Amino acid sequence: MKILIVGLPGSGKTTQIDKVAQKYGLEPVKMGNILREIVSTKSGLGQKIAAIMSSGELVEDELVAKLIKDKVTQIGDKLVMEGFPRTTKQVELFDPEFDKVFYLEVPIEVVKDRMKDRGRADDSDEAIEKRLQVQMEDMEHILGYYKDRLVKINGILPIEEVFKTIEDNLR
Ligand code: AP5
């Protein structure tokens, strides 16, 4: 089973992916964490990625598609993913062929407040605005691409209720 959780930054993707991975014995694949691991090596590539992430811009499509393709090849077909694809180009470069896609729908003001409360290194006001702006651009296309396997969830509900809806759709 391959599952994708999609939504704006701060919509709760990371929160839900951990719960899904644990309950269904799936490998969690988080694009942001894969990039943060490269940043932690302090290599030339890591420094370049760090600068992009702290600005709120997206890392190059070709690079993230290659990183995810390698990861999926290594893991196989028992995974739950978030953070990829994020652009139209990324879906074209590599489609992991998900069985189910969950979209966490959360109003923009709510995700902003959540990210400010969370206070991650790339959660400055400027980076939050930029991330939301660039990631809203391709969201409709990605949702359209997966419309035959898409489940929309009201992401402002409490964490356990969001998870219950995911569970109900995986029976
Ligand atoms: P990434 O690390 O993926 O961050 P993001 O997409 O911006 O998503 P977040 O981690 O901010 O939010 P989330 O939806 O996981 O919410 P969370 O569960 O934490 O990406 C970071 C950067 O990496 C990007 O800006 C880009 O530069 C680069 N990048 C990543 N993927 C890329 C790609 N494919 N292509 C190019 N570049 C890429 O929840 C947020 C908060 O809300 C938490 O505090 C949580 O406790 C709380 N919360 C969660 N659910 C609820 C709920 N139901 N009710 C109340 N509070 C809740």
Side-chain angles (χ1 to χ4, degrees):
M1 177 162 56
K2 286 189 205 161
I3 296 171
L4 173 65
I5 300 185
V6 70
L8 288 176
S11 58
K13 303 184 295 293
T14 307
T15 305
Q16 295 297 329
I17 200 181
D18 290 337
K19 297 174 78 64
V20 172
Q22 194 183 9
K23 163 123 196 198
Y24 296 95
L26 303 175
E27 186 73 29
V29 181
K30 306 172 188 174
M31 189 69 236
N33 282 6
I34 294 173
L35 294 170
R36 276 185 276 276
E37 274 171 30
I38 300 175
V39 168
S40 72
T41 64
K42 299 198 164 47
S43 61
L45 179 62
Q47 289 175 15
K48 196 176 140 197
I49 292 174
I52 298 171
M53 288 177 79
S54 59
S55 74
E57 294 282 358
L58 291 177
V59 175
E60 215 178 297
D61 289 328
E62 283 74 10
L63 174 62
V64 293
K66 182 181 182 314
L67 291 168
I68 274 297
K69 191 173 179 183
D70 291 350
K71 197 77 176 172
V72 172
T73 307
Q74 179 198 328
I75 293 173
D77 61 3
K78 286 185 78 178
L79 60 85
V80 52
M81 188 181 295
E82 63 107 347
F84 181 93
R86 246 181 245 250
T87 68
T88 307
K89 181 81 188 291
Q90 289 177 15
V91 197
E92 289 164 8
L93 286 166
F94 179 60
D95 178 5
E97 298 180 348
F98 299 104
D99 301 296
K100 207 85 162 177
V101 176
F102 294 98
Y103 172 48
L104 306 182
E105 218 169 355
V106 180
I108 206 139
E109 292 312 320
V110 176
V111 295
K112 279 186 193 171
D113 285 345
R114 284 186 189 173
M115 282 188 279
K116 280 176 192 157
D117 289 346
R118 184 180 60 179
R120 205 169 67 190
D122 60 342
D123 283 342
S124 68
D125 286 351
E126 298 76 25
I128 288 173
E129 289 297 335
K130 191 72 200 171
R131 258 151 81 200
L132 288 170
Q133 182 200 326
V134 296
Q135 294 182 35
M136 278 190 304
E137 283 168 13
D138 278 306
M139 185 61 81
E140 285 307 317
H141 177 86
I142 288 164
L143 297 180
Y145 185 87
Y146 290 120
K147 65 176 182 297
D148 59 337
R149 64 207 98 158
L150 185 70
V151 178
K152 289 189 183 182
I153 301 178
N154 179 356
I156 62 168
L157 292 173
I159 291 169
E160 288 308 325
E161 283 185 42
V162 173
F163 183 55
K164 170 88 172 45
T165 310
I166 293 177
E167 284 179 300
D168 289 346
N169 281 278
L170 290 176
R171 283 183 210 287

